[in-house]
Amino acid sequence: MVAAAAAALAGVAHADATPDYSLTNSIPLGSPDRWDYAVFDGPTMRVYVAHGERLTVLDARTGELIGQVEGIAGGTHGTAISDREGLGFTDDGEKGEVVAFDLKTLKIIGHIPAGADADGMVRDPATGHIFVIEGDPGTVTVIDPAQRKAIATINAGEKMEYAAADGQGHVFVAGEANSDVVEIDAHTNRIMARWPAPNCRSPHGLALDKAGQRLFMGCANARLMVLDAHSGHVVADLAIGSGSDAIAFDPVRKRVFSSNGRDGTVTIYQQISADEYTVRAPIRTAVSGRTMTLDPATGRLFVIAADTDPSSTPGGRPHIRPGTVRALIYDPVQ
C-alpha cells in the first residue's frame, strides 16, 4: 500500500516531470454544451459520448465524427454496446427510459421503460445483459438486449453512480450515498455484498483490473480507493485531483487514471503490484474535463472537455463557453 504521507496530491505531484502522454488531437463536438460519460468499444473501435440530447459517435482510430444518435430529448448519460445483437443502448434520464439504437445506422429502434434518473450503464459479458444504474431511486434495471426488454429491477436502496463488470457474472456499482461498493450477481440479479470505503465521500467513477481483481473508485473528496474485488477490503487509499468523475484502468501498461474536472488534470498511478501504486506525472487537460474513456490496446485516452469562463464560481461547476465541447485525445509516449 502507498503510505498516506507519500501520496501527495496527485494532481500536482511530479508537476515538473516529463509527462507520459501527449495531446495528439482535439476533436470539436460543438453544441449542446452538456455531456456525460464517454465509452470506448473495442469491437466497433468507436467512442460513444453522451452529449446532451444526442449520443456523439467517434472513430477511435482517427477521431473523426461517425455520426449521432439523435432525438433523446431528456438527455443522455450512459452507453452500453451489445455487438452480438448489433445494438447500442443509451438512456433518456429525464424520461426514465433506455433508448436502443442500430449500430450500423445509428437510428433509434426502440424505447425500454426503466427507472427515473437512468444514468450509467454497463454490459455484463457473462450474461450479455445490460445493467442500467438509476441514481436517485437507487435501482438497477436489467435489460436483455436480445429481447429488447427489461427482465429485472434490483433495489439497492441508495443513490448510485458508475458500474463495472468482471466478465465472471459480477457487476460492481459505486454507492454514492453510503460510500460503498455494491456487488450484484448478474445471473440471479441479486445483491451479493456491500463493501464500505470509509474515507471515500460521494464515489462516482469505477474501474476494474480483471486480472488482478482490484476495483478503483474515485471519490469527491479527492481520494482513489483500491478494493479487493473478492473480499471488498480497501487495500490502498490514494490522493487524486479535484472533481473526479471517471476512472479508467489500462491493463497493458498497468496504469490507473482519474479525470479531474475542477483541476483540469488526469491523475495517473502506476500499478507495481495489486496492492502497491506509485504516482506518475499528471496529464494537463482542461478545467471541465471530468469524464474520459480508454482504448486498452493502444493506451489512448479520450477526455471530454470545453472552454470555460474564468469568472466561474470557485468550487462550483465551471461556466461553459457555448459550442466549445471537444474530445481531447492523448497518446502514451512511454
Side-chain angles (χ1 to χ4, degrees):
M1 178 188 295
V2 175
L9 181 63
V12 297
H14 299 313
D16 296 327
T18 302
D20 298 315
Y21 293 79
S22 64
L23 179 66
T24 56
N25 210 341
S26 178
I27 311 301
L29 305 183
S31 298
D33 301 321
R34 296 181 296 139
W35 71 92
D36 208 337
Y37 297 114
V39 174
F40 169 79
D41 178 61
T44 58
M45 285 303 294
R46 292 175 174 178
V47 172
Y48 299 84
V49 182
H51 191 193
E53 78 281 356
R54 67 189 65 180
L55 187 69
T56 297
V57 185
L58 302 177
D59 186 314
R61 292 159 294 197
T62 65
E64 294 177 355
L65 176 67
I66 292 175
Q68 313 272 4
V69 181
E70 297 180 297
I72 310 170
T76 63
H77 302 84
T79 304
I81 305 300
S82 183
D83 305 288
R84 183 172 58 192
E85 281 78 26
L87 297 176
F89 298 86
T90 189
D91 66 276
D92 185 318
E94 189 174 287
K95 290 184 178 179
E97 66 180 21
V98 172
V99 177
F101 61 92
D102 185 282
L103 291 181
K104 292 182 178 179
T105 65
L106 300 183
K107 300 297 184 183
I108 294 174
I109 59 173
H111 300 264
I112 305 168
D117 195 28
D119 192 57
M121 59 180 69
V122 66
R123 178 183 178 273
D124 168 55
T127 61
H129 295 162
I130 308 295
F131 287 73
V132 183
I133 314 305
E134 292 131 6
D136 289 338
T139 54
V140 180
T141 295
V142 185
I143 291 173
D144 181 346
Q147 301 182 64
R148 265 189 267 163
K149 71 176 186 180
I151 58 172
T153 300
I154 303 166
N155 185 2
E158 66 167 304
K159 182 176 174 62
M160 296 176 293
E161 278 288 334
Y162 209 59
D166 67 357
Q168 305 299 316
H170 304 99
V171 174
F172 305 94
V173 189
E176 183 184 4
N178 295 340
S179 297
D180 59 6
V181 172
V182 179
E183 181 187 18
I184 297 171
D185 185 327
H187 295 285
T188 64
N189 297 320
R190 296 180 181 275
I191 293 176
M192 299 174 63
R194 297 176 188 267
W195 298 327
N199 197 34
C200 178
R201 178 171 59 82
S202 184
H204 279 66
L206 192 70
L208 176 67
D209 170 12
K210 294 180 182 179
Q213 284 294 288
R214 291 295 181 264
L215 287 160
F216 308 102
M217 185 164 67
C219 314
N221 56 327
R223 308 302 299 182
L224 174 70
M225 299 291 123
V226 185
L227 297 92
D228 186 312
H230 290 300
S231 67
H233 178 64
V234 176
V235 300
D237 179 346
L238 310 171
I240 55 175
S242 178
S244 173
D245 199 25
I247 303 295
F249 178 70
D250 182 338
V252 177
R253 294 153 196 84
K254 302 294 183 181
R255 294 172 183 172
V256 189
F257 305 86
S258 168
S259 52
N260 313 309
R262 289 183 183 175
D263 287 352
T265 63
V266 173
T267 302
I268 310 173
Y269 275 95
Q270 184 71 51
Q271 185 184 66
I272 307 303
S273 68
D275 298 343
E276 184 181 2
Y277 301 83
T278 59
V279 68
R280 302 182 72 98
I283 303 171
R284 301 294 177 182
T285 58
V287 172
S288 80
R290 60 186 178 82
T291 58
M292 67 175 171
T293 191
L294 169 91
D295 175 357
T298 64
R300 173 173 285 183
L301 282 168
F302 302 82
V303 179
I304 313 304
D307 294 338
T308 56
D309 186 341
S311 65
S312 297
T313 304
R317 283 198 173 185
H319 299 150
I320 303 301
R321 291 181 177 174
T324 65
V325 179
R326 61 193 184 275
L328 302 173
I329 298 178
Y330 296 88
D331 287 312
V333 295
Q334 57 182 335

